[in-house]
Amino acid sequence: MVEFFAAFITGLTAGGLSCLAVQGGLLTGSIAPSTATKVPAKKGSQSRKRARTGKRAAKQQPATEPPSARTILLFLGAKLVAYALLGLLIGALGSVLQLTPRMSALLMLAIGVFMVGNGLRMLNVHPIFRYFTFEPPSAVTRYLRRKAKGGATAVTPLFLGTLTVLIPCGVTQAMMALAMGTGDALRAAGLMTAFTLGSSVVFFAVGYLAVRLGGVMQKGFGQLAAVVLLVLGFASVNSGMNLLGVPLSFLQPVRTAAQDAEAVTVLPADDEQNVITIQALGWGYEPRRVHARAGVPTELTFVSENLFSCSRALVIPEWNIREILPETGEFTVNLPAQPLGKVLNYSCSMGMYFGQIVFDQ
Amino acid sequence: MKQTYNVPDMHCPACSMLLEGLEDDLPGIRRISASYHKQRLDVDFDEAQVSEAEIMAAAEELGYALTRRER
């Protein structure tokens, strides 16, 4: 549930704003023809130009007559269904590919870099960051554009909402990669649905209001989206690094200090093996750092009790262990003797919660 | 006539879609292609039907200032 909530929040923040920037044109275009005739011609040279070019009135229409709430809802409803189905598809694809924890970590790193690049692109930091977004081929955008102008029945926004899968925004692309990383069709569909639902709220609010408020507001929202993307991107890179057990992830120094303060030393009574018990809790693993004896085997047990957090999705990358802990119960791993100074990292599958066993005794 | 323009105001791929929509709005545009990555607009148009000034004015109405790219 936590991951779906996170996806919803991502949609609610960065997703909605970013999607609006890319797909908003489709929505505003979808009702243009029906109201075009209501536009009074402007005075002077503008009216001559409009009279000559004819269709320009329709083009400009969304600025003065924004889409109705019904049109936006139809559009977003179709989009929701389309992305849920897309989630099913890419989740199934991910399950075929069977990502290892290390591949997931690398994917998360790549997603983070992609999100940071998109954030920097939106802030116009350097032209190179423009390549962090996918530019659909002209043939696709032309097709969508013409469909958008083709009619104004209920079918049009439904159809266009469905077609938004062809022009996913940067954040959506990142979420698609994340959904694929789950390797589970239903989970992926859930993630995409939660994300699209979250983005729909913003899409509706901003789409309904910002089109009325004008470009200045949209620019402000765009910058906000960029900052949110940067934060989420860095968080994803950090999670990927945690998942890889790379000690230089952003929060590691802080966490290490915290772990040192509460570190526990486990020494075997008979020198035969380390017996370590870790509590998997809603907010992480405790104790987060365990000092153990090197050179003897280790029996490592994770205990969970009424657990519904992502700490249930345990990953020990080095041993290629990926296990969903029981809601209540135990999971035990037997490790061979480890060399002196060895650090064994484990985390949840998203790299948000993690812990270490240090064989230094 | 074929002409290329710099479009520094493009801020996302949707801008390409908007600019390419000029072909539906103006007569005499044979081919139009916008690139967000390159911040560029390539237009092939019939001068007898539409002038360069009209194309630039139409783009400006959409919020994009075109500057001619000299070859």
Side-chain angles (χ1 to χ4, degrees), chain A residues 2-286:
Chain A
V2 174
E3 63 181 359
F4 296 144
F5 184 68
F8 179 79
I9 295 297
T10 308
L12 197 60
T13 50
L17 300 168
S18 171
C19 287
L20 189 71
V22 176
Q23 300 166 351
L26 268 188
L27 176 60
T28 51
S30 68
I31 60 144
S34 68
T35 47
T37 51
K38 294 179 196 163
V39 180
K42 288 187 182 173
K43 291 176 183 172
S45 61
Q46 289 290 332
S47 69
R48 280 198 302 277
K49 196 186 300 165
R50 280 171 193 276
R52 181 175 163 191
T53 57
K55 293 186 211 162
R56 287 207 62 73
K59 183 85 185 177
Q60 293 304 308
Q61 182 55 28
T64 51
E65 191 79 19
S68 67
R70 178 176 164 271
T71 303
I72 300 179
L73 286 175
L74 283 171
F75 178 90
L76 293 176
K79 187 180 157 190
L80 187 67
V81 173
Y83 276 95
L85 292 175
L86 183 70
L88 269 180
L89 195 70
I90 55 180
L93 189 68
S95 69
V96 172
L97 295 177
Q98 298 228 331
L99 297 176
T100 64
R102 199 163 291 268
M103 284 161 73
S104 296
L106 292 175
L107 188 63
M108 215 169 262
L109 277 176
I111 292 166
V113 169
F114 183 69
M115 288 172 110
V116 169
N118 258 301
L120 295 174
R121 171 186 72 79
M122 289 165 78
L123 291 174
N124 226 353
V125 172
H126 190 277
I128 192 82
F129 293 112
R130 281 184 212 130
Y131 288 90
F132 275 85
T133 192
F134 163 70
E135 192 165 14
S138 290
V140 172
T141 54
R142 182 175 290 117
Y143 176 75
L144 292 176
R145 203 179 61 233
R146 300 227 159 125
K147 282 289 171 191
K149 292 180 177 179
T153 61
V155 179
T156 310
L158 282 175
F159 184 63
L160 290 172
T162 308
L163 290 188
T164 53
V165 292
L166 296 177
I167 47 168
C169 69
V171 188
T172 309
Q173 289 171 35
M175 189 53 67
M176 284 160 65
L178 206 63
M180 194 170 90
T182 63
D184 180 326
L186 286 179
R187 256 176 85 197
L191 273 179
M192 290 310 295
T193 305
F195 170 78
T196 310
L197 208 56
S199 72
S200 296
V201 174
V202 182
F203 208 108
F204 183 84
V206 180
Y208 195 71
L209 294 175
V211 176
R212 287 168 168 79
L213 295 174
V216 179
M217 284 294 283
Q218 281 190 337
K219 193 178 176 190
F221 280 118
Q223 285 178 341
L224 177 67
V227 172
V228 173
L229 256 186
L230 282 177
V231 172
L232 292 173
F234 279 119
S236 183
V237 169
N238 187 56
S239 294
M241 287 168 92
N242 278 341
L243 205 49
L244 279 177
V246 179
L248 286 179
S249 66
F250 305 124
L251 295 175
Q252 191 85 7
V254 182
R255 288 184 178 177
T256 304
Q259 284 176 327
D260 278 340
E262 57 186 54
V264 170
T265 301
V266 176
L267 293 177
D270 51 7
D271 276 2
E272 280 186 1
Q273 69 168 1
N274 295 306
V275 178
I276 302 172
T277 304
I278 310 280
Q279 301 287 335
L281 304 167
W283 54 90
Y285 302 98
E286 275 187 14

